[in-house]
Amino acid sequence: MNMKLELVPWERRQVIRHLMQFYLYDFTKYLNIDVDHNGVFPEYPGLDAFWAEEGRKFPFLITSDGAPAGFALVERFEPGNIDNDYYLTEFFVMQKYRRSGVGTQAAHALFERFPGRWKVTQVRNNVVAQAFWRKVIGAYTGGRFREKFHPELGNPSQFFVT
């Protein structure tokens, strides 16, 4: 499969909005999210900021052989942040493309594009995502990452340097 990672311009933001519906559907297994009376999940909070805050927030489309396969939302923190320079706010690969290498390739492409200190977090009960990120980050860093758990929520986060 030919994976491509492209920054989505404002004019094409709908592709991320549409894929977000599938992402939120997946999250109904882990969080209490419901559709409205029209069968639509709520807007992702702060999504428009990924286009309004250019240079600080980055909305990426992940494609496989030219077809939309997922997305990634990356935030750059202000210089001087104690723990990290970049935060992988959201990362989604449609089920059709999972276990094909698309997600791993996209993650590695993001790490290459933004060298520095990274933080990646998963929901506490999403053990599949936790295994994926430990494997991907472990392979990318040669096992050189640390993991912390949020004191109240229990969500694990991996910290590493690219």
Side-chain angles (χ1 to χ4, degrees):
M1 291 195 179
N2 183 19
M3 187 285 303
K4 186 176 175 188
L5 189 67
E6 60 182 275
L7 204 51
V8 177
W10 172 259
E11 301 78 38
R12 292 197 54 228
R13 70 190 179 283
Q14 286 302 102
V15 68
I16 301 289
R17 285 193 192 302
H18 293 159
L19 289 170
M20 188 64 76
Q21 289 291 299
F22 298 111
Y23 179 69
L24 293 171
Y25 170 76
D26 277 3
F27 259 82
T28 62
K29 292 192 314 193
Y30 311 110
L31 302 173
N32 186 18
I33 304 171
D34 291 308
V35 295
D36 64 17
H37 64 281
N38 291 317
V40 178
F41 285 102
E43 280 287 314
Y44 178 86
L47 185 59
D48 282 344
F50 281 88
W51 289 274
E53 298 181 37
E54 193 174 320
R56 191 170 110 52
K57 296 189 178 207
F58 306 89
F60 288 96
L61 177 64
I62 302 166
T63 61
S64 178
D65 293 331
F71 64 84
L73 302 178
V74 176
E75 289 189 60
R76 177 182 305 179
F77 287 96
E78 297 299 319
N81 183 297
I82 292 174
D83 287 326
N84 52 296
D85 302 311
Y86 298 99
Y87 180 54
L88 187 56
T89 307
E90 305 296 346
F91 186 89
F92 172 68
V93 174
M94 293 191 332
Q95 289 187 18
K96 174 182 179 178
Y97 300 100
R98 293 179 190 166
R99 299 197 177 279
S100 71
V102 167
T104 299
Q105 289 175 35
H108 288 190
L110 287 169
F111 303 154
E112 290 295 317
R113 184 171 184 140
F114 299 107
R117 300 170 302 150
W118 277 82
K119 176 182 178 183
V120 178
T121 301
Q122 302 85 49
V123 173
R124 175 179 39 96
N125 52 355
N126 189 345
V127 295
V128 173
Q130 292 169 31
F132 171 79
W133 286 111
R134 288 175 184 135
K135 180 180 175 184
V136 167
I137 294 167
Y140 186 82
T141 65
R144 291 183 306 277
F145 69 92
R146 62 186 165 82
E147 188 166 84
K148 289 195 228 178
F149 292 83
H150 189 278
E152 289 97 36
L153 302 174
N155 296 338
S157 295
Q158 296 78 35
F159 294 84
F160 58 99
V161 178
T162 61

